[in-house]
Amino acid sequence: MNQQEYLSKNQERFLNELLDWLRIPSISADSKFASDVHKAAEFVADKLRLAGADNVAVEQTEGYPIVYGEKMVDPNKPTVLVYGHYDVQPSVPDELWETPAFEPTIRDGNIYARGACDDKGQAYMHVKAFEMMMATDTLACNVKFMIEGEEEVGSTHLGYYVKENKDKLAADVVLISDTGMIANDIPSIDTGLRGLSYVEVEVTGPNIDLHSGTYGGAVANPINVLCDMISSLHDENRHITIPGFYDQVEIVSDEDRAEMAKTPFDLEEYKKGLEVNDVMGEAGYSTIERTGIRPTLDVNGIWGGYIGEGAKTVLPSKAYAKISMRLVPNQKSADISDLFQRHFESIAPKAVKVKVTLHHGGEAAVTPTNSKAYRAASKAMEATFGKKPIPTRGGGSIPIVALFEEVLGLKTVLMGFGLDSDAIHSPNEKYGIFNFYKGIETIPYFFKYFGEEE
Ligand code: BES
Ligand code: MN
Ligand code: MN
């Protein structure tokens, strides 16, 4: 049986297995779901074993386990380290889901579920492509799987694991499907990920919530102050005002910017899809540049005061915000968090106290387009899409990618099959069944081309 026949014979089962995996609410951010996160690890370990992987292990860490498995076919063949994650983002706000986040439902050719695209759907393509290559005796490279359960919370323990298992993880390239492409008829490969600094701020005014009539106007309202402080972090050109913030930013050449400008992108469609009348961002840069090569600062959440039903006249004691900064090559996450902290403390009026807490961060990464691995991915997508993929710079972050390079000396190929419209991290996350099967079909071509002499 060849791969094509194997796929058509088994595609329904592949999909059903993915749906079973998606039913496990493996939310790494919320400890209520800890046992489900472990279950999701066991699930994929079993599937790797059944597919024929050797030395499959659910490796315990101080946090969630790392699922490892390998198949070494020939020491003279290159080795591909496949990375993915089985943890997912929280599903809240649940009331905005048309069907429950952990009851995967198929509508209009899409699988709706938390994790459908990010990253269970995409990681599972690798497990099934592996099964298919094993069953048809066509595995053209050695392969090692490393599927973790803490990507959505900063990959803390994976960092240690990688450092302690350098020999075990030795490979020639890392292959990841955890990003997107432009459209189903415009394949693309991400060649960059942004870094991240994530902070939380607390602004304290009076020692207790006060009557807003008795005290309002005379005592600092921490919510008002927090809003002032946050709005001062951008100027009228939407540049970030933190001193030193841009000092290390990699300047992209005019030539590369001209190349980026050729990326197919329809601003009108983009706006229509999001139901916004206009886009907004840093002056002097296109939308693609704003998400691809420029750093940003966004408030992810802000709270304080009275948010219950009706009106309560109160001058709150405290206000909070969670703020993330997306970083580009050469900016160091720790340095930027530091700059933020110092600046934020320095702009606080005397009438309030501020506390800045640093959360996880990660470095940006760029992946080469002139490597054998990139060419293998490009040819693989060309084989199944009938079109050569376009290199693009993605806006998201997978902090562990920079570490793979630093610790293992490995470059990564980001062969992702998601779409921006898949609503990852949002209500009604989905993944196209087309994309799921297309990935399973494409991955073996990557192995084939990467295994060939050049
Ligand atoms: N798969 C995403 C990253 C991604 C999404 C890259 C789309 C490119 C395009 C990943 O699971 C993710 O969400 N990463 C987090 C960072 C992490 C430290 C929480 C992110 O980008 O917010
Ligand atoms: Mn992901
Ligand atoms: Mn994610």
Side-chain angles (χ1 to χ4, degrees):
M1 207 185 311
N2 67 28
Q3 286 179 1
Q4 207 49 58
E5 288 160 355
Y6 190 85
L7 180 56
S8 24
K9 213 175 141 230
N10 292 283
Q11 54 182 5
E12 224 176 284
R13 173 174 59 84
F14 287 1
L15 180 60
N16 284 325
E17 288 173 7
L18 171 61
L19 300 186
D20 285 341
W21 202 21
L22 290 169
R23 283 189 188 95
I24 307 172
S26 48
I27 303 171
S28 52
D30 187 343
S31 56
K32 274 206 305 290
F33 295 90
S35 74
D36 291 303
V37 184
H38 285 275
K39 254 187 236 160
E42 295 293 344
F43 181 100
V44 72
D46 279 343
K47 298 302 182 195
L48 279 173
R49 251 181 236 118
L50 287 170
D54 297 326
N55 302 321
V56 174
V58 178
E59 313 244 39
Q60 301 302 322
T61 69
E62 301 271 302
Y64 289 121
I66 292 149
V67 177
Y68 180 83
E70 61 179 30
K71 190 76 204 179
M72 307 305 280
V73 282
D74 179 350
N76 297 314
K77 290 285 185 190
T79 302
V80 179
L81 178 60
V82 173
Y83 163 83
H85 62 95
Y86 62 80
D87 65 322
V88 301
Q89 286 273 326
S91 56
V92 285
D94 284 299
E95 65 280 9
L96 295 185
W97 286 77
E98 261 176 61
T99 48
F102 297 104
E103 291 173 27
T105 309
I106 292 175
R107 287 195 300 277
D108 315 320
N110 293 304
I111 309 156
Y112 284 86
R114 171 60 82 233
C117 173
D118 184 12
D119 181 38
K120 283 175 177 162
Q122 297 212 62
Y124 210 61
M125 301 180 317
H126 285 271
V127 180
K128 293 297 104 174
F130 171 67
E131 177 191 316
M132 186 162 97
M133 291 186 281
M134 289 294 289
T136 56
D137 203 17
T138 51
L139 181 59
C141 299
N142 303 307
V143 58
K144 296 177 177 177
F145 285 92
M146 183 169 66
I147 305 176
E148 71 151 320
E150 296 185 322
E151 196 278 340
E152 300 291 8
V153 289
S155 302
T156 325
H157 298 95
L158 185 65
Y160 298 115
Y161 179 82
V162 169
K163 285 179 191 149
E164 274 163 28
N165 290 279
K166 281 192 219 171
D167 292 338
K168 177 169 171 162
L169 299 173
D172 294 280
V173 73
V174 181
L175 179 63
I176 304 178
S177 297
D178 192 24
T179 53
M181 52 182 194
I182 297 171
N184 283 351
D185 56 353
I186 314 175
S188 63
I189 295 178
D190 267 359
T191 59
L193 293 161
R194 286 195 287 184
L196 187 67
S197 283
Y198 203 114
V199 301
E200 188 165 330
V201 299
E202 179 192 276
V203 178
T204 307
N207 55 359
I208 47 163
D209 288 4
L210 301 173
H211 189 288
S212 67
T214 318
Y215 290 98
V219 176
N221 178 325
I223 301 182
N224 293 8
V225 171
L226 176 59
C227 290
D228 287 347
M229 290 172 75
I230 287 171
S231 68
S232 79
L233 296 174
H234 287 98
D235 69 13
E236 67 282 7
N237 291 316
R238 305 217 62 79
H239 283 295
I240 294 155
T241 56
I242 300 170
F245 185 85
Y246 291 99
D247 284 2
Q248 312 301 326
V249 165
E250 175 194 67
I251 308 293
V252 177
S253 68
D254 289 346
E255 209 183 339
D256 285 351
R257 290 181 67 184
E259 203 50 48
M260 279 186 86
K262 292 186 200 152
T263 311
F265 177 75
D266 186 333
L267 186 59
E268 288 314 309
E269 279 300 310
Y270 185 82
K271 290 193 283 192
K272 230 165 82 196
L274 299 173
E275 295 182 41
V276 294
N277 293 325
D278 205 355
V279 290
M280 192 163 95
E282 190 182 2
Y285 294 92
S286 69
T287 295
I288 287 185
E289 290 175 333
R290 286 168 179 169
T291 59
I293 58 168
R294 297 298 293 169
T296 55
L297 182 151
D298 276 291
V299 179
N300 295 256
I302 181 164
W303 70 101
Y306 182 69
I307 53 167
E309 198 183 326
K312 180 189 183 204
T313 49
V314 61
L315 193 164
S317 164
K318 284 178 187 290
Y320 305 84
K322 290 181 193 278
I323 299 173
S324 67
M325 290 158 278
R326 295 280 169 178
L327 312 177
V328 297
N330 300 339
Q331 284 183 299
K332 291 265 163 294
S333 169
D335 294 350
I336 295 294
S337 299
D338 214 49
L339 288 179
F340 177 93
Q341 176 160 22
R342 269 188 279 155
H343 178 66
F344 207 72
E345 285 168 358
S346 78
I347 60 173
K350 230 170 103 188
V352 299
K353 297 183 197 73
V354 305
K355 194 168 105 196
V356 178
T357 317
L358 309 181
H359 285 282
H360 57 74
E363 311 303 338
V366 278
T367 64
T369 53
N370 61 356
S371 64
K372 182 183 175 189
Y374 183 87
R375 281 191 294 279
S378 177
K379 279 163 69 182
M381 284 185 113
E382 190 175 356
T384 55
F385 286 88
K387 270 184 205 171
K388 211 175 151 128
I390 299 164
T392 50
R393 287 278 286 264
S397 308
I398 309 177
I400 203 71
V401 169
L403 211 101
F404 289 151
E405 178 154 11
E406 192 190 307
V407 177
L408 301 175
L410 294 180
K411 298 279 185 195
T412 292
V413 173
L414 298 163
M415 193 167 71
F417 295 86
L419 298 176
D420 283 353
S421 55
D422 283 341
I424 63 173
H425 297 203
S426 301
N428 303 307
E429 176 178 349
K430 66 173 167 64
Y431 192 43
I433 293 175
F434 167 88
N435 304 67
F436 178 61
Y437 291 138
K438 204 54 144 182
I440 297 173
E441 213 187 308
T442 306
I443 290 161
Y445 280 102
F446 174 86
F447 279 75
K448 173 175 183 293
Y449 294 130
F450 192 60
E452 283 173 359
E453 297 284 336
E454 265 199 330

